[in-house]
């Protein structure tokens, strides 16, 4: 496990991150963990290797979430555990608010991020990414029988989660003719959708499908959109840990473990 840095160095490291941070990550002091989220927990493996910490959000079901008992679960968490077992790494998985998740990595609070994070040019300027372990698509979620039409999006209130590729899409493509509302997480976006404060939410298909299971009065409207969204783990620039992670992810792809975990968490 990385040793704890003194407070002066941490402040300087975080200030540097904020000075160079681009677009898709917020520059704020990262919280120790997501409010109400799990404390740190070990990955289940009898490893003999070095100790590392991996951060996840713990509020992005089914990629990552916090169970009732405070433990962390989800696809990201299970992939991280499988990777650590494959690479014989002694891993600890911790929760971190989304807006502070890359600043926390740069400040060496942990060694890697596994949080449903998309590879983008802005993030790639700050961190290295592993081989992708999931390919995403995005969809519109709206009320059944409502007025939302994905072929005519104008004069509407559209929601999404800030610091995501969906948020960037909304701002780039639709902000001139619509009111874009961005939230800390998708749960809050869906609360406003159900209350009628917004007309639709732009979300990843898998997270939208998970939410729709408990909300039958809403649906995916239109076709899913492929925006080249590949999800990978983030590691500090130049960290040799990337090579270890890539090798382990390659093995999990080859032996079918990734496909098994995807079916477990996302179905067919």
């Amino acid at each position: 496990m990385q040793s704890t840095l003194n407070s002066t160095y941490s402040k300087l490291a975080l200030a540097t991150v904020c000075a160079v941070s681009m677009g898709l990550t917020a520059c704020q002091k990262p919280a120790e963990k997501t409010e109400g989220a799990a404390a740190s927990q070990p990955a289940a493996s009898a490893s003999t290797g070095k100790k590392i910490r991996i951060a996840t959000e713990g509020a992005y079901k089914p990629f990552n979430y916090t169970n009732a008992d405070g433990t962390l679960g989800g696809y990201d968490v299970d992939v991280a555990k499988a990777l650590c077992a494959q690479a014989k790494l002694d891993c600890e998985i911790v929760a971190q608010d989304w807006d502070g998740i890359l600043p926390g990595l740069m400040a060496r609070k942990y060694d890697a991020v596994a949080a449903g994070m998309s590879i983008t040019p802005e993030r790639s300027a700050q961190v290295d990414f592993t081989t992708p372990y999931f390919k995403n698509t995005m969809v519109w979620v709206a009320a059944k029988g409502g007025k939302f039409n994905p072929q005519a999006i104008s004069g509407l209130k559209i929601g999404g989660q800030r610091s995501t590729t969906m948020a960037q899409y909304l701002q780039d493509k639709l902000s001139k003719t619509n009111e874009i509302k961005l939230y800390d997480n998708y749960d809050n976006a869906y609360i406003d959708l159900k209350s009628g404060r917004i007309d639709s939410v732009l979300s990843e298909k898998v997270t939208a499908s998970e939410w729709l299971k408990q909300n039958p009065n809403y649906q995916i409207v239109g076709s899913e959109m492929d925006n080249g969204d590949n999800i990978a783990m983030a590691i500090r620039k130049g960290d040799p840990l990337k090579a270890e992670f890539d090798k382990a992810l390659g093995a999990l792809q080859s032996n079918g473990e990734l496909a098994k975990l995807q079916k477990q968490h996302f179905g067919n």
Side-chain angles (χ1 to χ4, degrees), residues 130-197:
T130 64
T131 301
Y133 60 93
F134 190 77
K135 181 176 178 59
N136 231 335
T137 57
M138 60 185 187
V139 295
W140 295 106
V141 178
K144 291 180 177 179
K147 64 180 180 180
F148 181 78
N149 179 357
Q151 303 304 318
I153 305 176
S154 182
L156 301 177
K157 296 179 179 179
I158 309 298
Q161 180 172 336
R162 67 171 53 95
S163 302
T164 64
T165 54
M166 273 61 61
Q168 193 68 56
Y169 179 90
L170 290 173
Q171 292 170 323
D172 290 347
K173 305 292 186 181
L174 297 170
S175 61
K176 291 182 179 179
T177 56
N178 300 274
E179 181 181 346
I180 306 303
K181 300 188 69 175
L182 301 179
Y183 302 82
D184 291 337
N185 54 59
Y186 276 111
D187 288 343
N188 290 333
Y190 287 131
I191 288 173
D192 271 10
L193 178 64
K194 293 177 74 171
S195 69
R197 287 189 285 267

Side-chain angles (χ1 to χ4, degrees), residues 2 41 150 169 198 246:
Q2 294 280 354
Q41 62 183 72
Y169 179 90
I198 57 177
D246 283 344

Side-chain angles (χ1 to χ4, degrees), residues 115-131:
M117 182 172 286
S118 303
I119 301 172
T120 68
E122 292 84 359
R123 291 174 182 150
S124 296
Q126 302 176 61
V127 299
D128 286 336
F129 281 101
T130 64
T131 301

Side-chain angles (χ1 to χ4, degrees), residues 223-240:
S223 302
E224 62 185 285
M225 297 171 280
D226 184 355
N227 63 335
D229 187 4
N230 293 301
I231 288 175
M233 296 185 188
I235 298 171
R236 284 184 295 275
K237 281 283 187 184
D239 193 326

Side-chain angles (χ1 to χ4, degrees), residues 3-17 29-30 103 106-109:
S3 60
T4 302
L5 298 177
N6 64 48
S7 59
T8 300
Y9 183 84
S10 297
K11 291 177 181 177
L12 289 173
L14 184 54
T16 301
V17 172
K29 180 180 178 181
M106 303 298 285
R108 297 181 177 270
K109 290 180 61 179

